[in-house]
Amino acid sequence: MFADTLSKVLPCRSTYLIFSRLKHVQAARYKRSIKGNKPLTYEMAGPPHTIAHIKGWNSWNTCNMLDGLRPAETAIDDEFIRRFIIGTWHDLIASEIIIKRQHNIIRIAAITVQKISVTKMYFLIGYTEELLSYWLQCPIKLELQTVEDRSAVVFKYI
Amino acid sequence: MLNCFRYINIYMLHRTTLLKKPSENIQIFRLTSTTSEKLPSNGDNINIPKYIHRSSTDILKAISSTIQRDPTAAHYKYHDDPYLIPVSNFQKRAYALSQESGRKAAHWIRNQHPDLFNHKVAFPPIEKFYPKVFYDESHELDENELKKVIEKGVVSDAITVYNLLSKNGIEISSDTQQALLELVCFYNNQDDIEEDWIEERWYTQVNKEREELRNTWKSNGFSNSLFSTIKSPNAHHYSTIIQGMSKYNQFEESYKLYKEACEKKLILSINSYNSAIRSAIYVKEGADHKWLHIQEILNQMNDLDVPMNLMTLNSILYVLTTMAISPESKKYALKTIAEAKKFNIEPCLSSFYYLIQIFCSDKKNKSTILVDILNLLEGKTLNIKDIADTNFFVAAMENCRYHLQNFSVALRVHSLLLTGNNYNLIGNSYKESVYYRHFFAILCQNESTELLMKYYNDLVPHIYIPEPSITEMIVKSINVSAAVEFYPKLWSDILMFDQADREPVIVELTNGMAQNLFPSFEQSVKEELGQLAGTIYDSIEERKETGKIKMSWTGSLLGNLIEVCLFGDNIQNATEIIMKLKNNENEIIGVPDSQNITNFLNYCINKNYFNEILICVEYILEVGLEVDLDILISKIIKSMVLSPMQRAHLSKLIGTEHYVEIESKTESVIS
């Protein structure tokens, strides 16, 4: 509606610009719940245009830069890593999984809930690091932080 | 690229100066021009330094050398998160091994599904990431494959491949056969713990220590059969099997083979002569025989023109340690060292370790050989040359504790350990904790509490967690110097290390606290102590309820706690303890000191706490403590204003007649 009225006032080129903004207005924005009790983490609370302003990226790599290597494979690998970790650390991950690539090392950061004993957690750390490095054939490091309860990572309710 | 940046910078600099002031700009140009003029005048004698070869990791090493250990951080193998950082020896071990066990699980999965892990992503390919190859009859094998397996050092695979090859009737060259024999002899026919399992190696060598002198050689194993298939074994074969056998303490057999080789007039490798020297411990008995045995082998080496090496020196010294009781051994040891010097052989750490053992076996005649050794070694970066090198630091520290009883020497040993990469020579977790046990014991016995706590704060808990006996020593040391400010820290550590169930530690701590109550302390310190006593009582009580601690309370312990509580005006906890005494009379061993109870009553009288007095008096009457109750009651009557109800309570407790008697006495005194 807004675009329609504008197009009448402004020349054609501007309309194109406005359309491009309208197109992505839905993605990665969380819908408000009726009761207003839907928990969001800090990362979830910021819509995409706040990346690099108030929040960071979830994947850090140089694959999509000019002359970057393996952009598609990296995206697939990242998705694999995320799914692998969410499945292996079942019901334990309380945040987004941040994947940082430096040289040949992949560092995976996440926040976990202190639901299982520390020894089990160390077992999972060892298992994840080793199996992922067999799969991706490079050194993998987990960088975990723990919280007592999921509510600790809630930034706001909508 | 870098140059380009520099140009831009210079350009920018000039531009900004241009914009600012023309005069400055000129100055900068002049500066640059003068330096460029000077350069060629020095140019005649430019010395281009020699190229220093750097490895690819040198820059990383240089960077890491700028960082020192952070005493507040746990070892980097643990995750840096409060929940995941271990606080006791048990946890340290459990966490590290759990992680490794997880890695093993991943390893197992990869080996169960080798077909899934054959993709090749890395370039160049990294073999470590690919699944293990399993050899069976379907493989087409040749000698090269065997060579490859031997190169990798996987014993079980090498044996399988060899067996498959001989089954197929493929001959292998004598070089490969020799290499295989060396491999199986070195590892005693079985796979060693893989290099990847660092934690397992760090923690399991405790058991290896016990096996040190047991014969673990696999007789009838693959190496024996391989050796017997060789029709006319040459010197190499003999050397290999002799060394293998003596490495795993099969000395009788190895000595037999040695004799056999000697009869055949073979010149063995130097290390097999060394092994033969070591066999003296088992083959010969008595100091004289052993020394003759050594001399015999040395003469033989001399005849055959085999020069001795460092291991010869160590082997001789090792044999000498087993006959250290004999007074001759010291003389022999010095002779050997002198002989080694002629060959330009520098003794290594294990030689010094043996020397300490030889010279300090006698407890009466104290030898200061360790000081001489330290004079030699101080400030040097040491490398491992013999597997026994890792025993040196533990032995040296033990020597400082029991033999020299000297902290300054211990400090020198410690600073040697911290020089360069010498910490790598500490051995394993067990040796490390024994080393620090001795170190702290010397500290507690000989040094001030301030120094003790300086090291304590630096090393505990991330490097070393004191054993209960050492904790007790530390508590004693604090008690002696009345350094009450350290009690709270120590108590929280005792709780953290799960040592609250150690009765000697708790008794020592509470005794010490009760003895070190000086009225001159500041009010804040007093209150802190009182609170601490309450915390001690509460936390032990809490752990007793959950079944973590089985220790039962003793009367004197509780009495001490009451004393400290009162000192810090912590009447609440003191009363709680009195209640505990009264209610659980049967579970508590003994009764508190009557002085403690009298103090409690006096305190309550002064502060006008009537209910507490009632409980206490009731307790005194129940147990029949030797307290002069009459005086106390009269004191109560004198200094407290009692309501009729309170009077009735009190008189009911001690008997109305008795009460009236005391009352009348007191009144008569007052009037």
Side-chain angles (χ1 to χ4, degrees), chain A residues 116 122 130 134-135 137 146, chain B residues 79 81 83-84 119 121 130:
Chain A
I116 52 170
Y122 269 105
E130 195 78 357
Y134 290 151
W135 190 258
Q137 301 186 348
T146 58
Chain B
H79 248 69
D81 180 276
Y83 184 64
L84 299 173
H119 56 291
V121 183
Y130 299 136

Side-chain angles (χ1 to χ4, degrees), chain A residues 70 114 116-119 121-123 125-127 129-131 133-139 142-146, chain B residues 78-81 83-84 94-95 98-99 101-103 105-107 109-110 116-117 119-122 128-130:
Chain A
R70 311 175 71 242
Q114 299 169 359
I116 52 170
S117 70
V118 186
T119 42
M121 220 166 236
Y122 269 105
F123 178 89
I125 291 171
Y127 174 76
E129 284 183 354
E130 195 78 357
L131 200 71
S133 56
Y134 290 151
W135 190 258
L136 302 166
Q137 301 186 348
C138 62
L142 280 191
E143 292 173 350
L144 296 181
Q145 295 290 302
T146 58
Chain B
Y78 303 111
H79 248 69
D80 190 12
D81 180 276
Y83 184 64
L84 299 173
Y95 295 175
S98 297
Q99 180 158 0
S101 145
R103 291 180 53 209
H107 196 80
I109 289 201
R110 187 190 58 173
L116 297 179
F117 288 91
H119 56 291
K120 293 193 166 55
V121 183
K128 270 272 164 196
F129 292 133
Y130 299 136

Side-chain angles (χ1 to χ4, degrees), chain A:
Chain A
M1 262 184 344
F2 178 61
D4 289 345
T5 46
L6 263 185
S7 64
K8 282 169 199 160
V9 187
L10 292 168
C12 215
R13 240 173 104 214
S14 314
T15 333
Y16 169 73
L17 269 176
I18 288 163
F19 266 133
S20 71
R21 287 200 59 183
L22 270 179
K23 205 170 119 195
H24 295 300
V25 90
Q26 208 51 43
R29 281 167 172 82
Y30 291 87
K31 208 178 158 188
R32 226 164 255 285
S33 63
I34 299 163
K35 288 182 183 170
N37 60 356
K38 186 175 178 179
L40 290 190
T41 63
Y42 182 80
E43 209 276 343
M44 286 153 90
H49 68 265
T50 57
I51 291 177
H53 292 263
I54 65 164
K55 69 177 197 179
W57 287 266
N58 282 354
S59 293
W60 294 74
N61 54 57
T62 53
C63 301
N64 291 314
M65 295 180 121
L66 186 64
D67 295 335
L69 300 169
R70 311 175 71 242
E73 289 90 334
T74 306
I76 299 284
D77 281 353
D78 282 2
E79 187 56 26
F80 176 82
I81 292 171
R82 293 215 167 85
R83 288 191 190 194
F84 178 83
I85 287 191
I86 286 169
T88 309
W89 295 74
H90 175 71
D91 206 17
L92 290 170
I93 303 288
S95 72
E96 283 69 33
I97 292 156
I98 313 293
I99 300 168
K100 296 173 264 189
R101 287 161 194 263
Q102 280 172 324
H103 306 299
N104 67 335
I105 295 178
I106 303 179
R107 295 186 295 139
I108 304 168
I111 299 175
T112 58
V113 190
Q114 299 169 359
K115 253 165 121 184
I116 52 170
S117 70
V118 186
T119 42
K120 282 182 182 168
M121 220 166 236
Y122 269 105
F123 178 89
L124 282 181
I125 291 171
Y127 174 76
T128 316
E129 284 183 354
E130 195 78 357
L131 200 71
L132 279 178
S133 56
Y134 290 151
W135 190 258
L136 302 166
Q137 301 186 348
C138 62
I140 308 272
K141 278 183 186 160
L142 280 191
E143 292 173 350
L144 296 181
Q145 295 290 302
T146 58
V147 286
E148 270 180 33
D149 191 69
R150 264 174 209 283
S151 61
V153 293
V154 174
F155 176 63
K156 66 174 185 187
Y157 292 91
I158 57 167

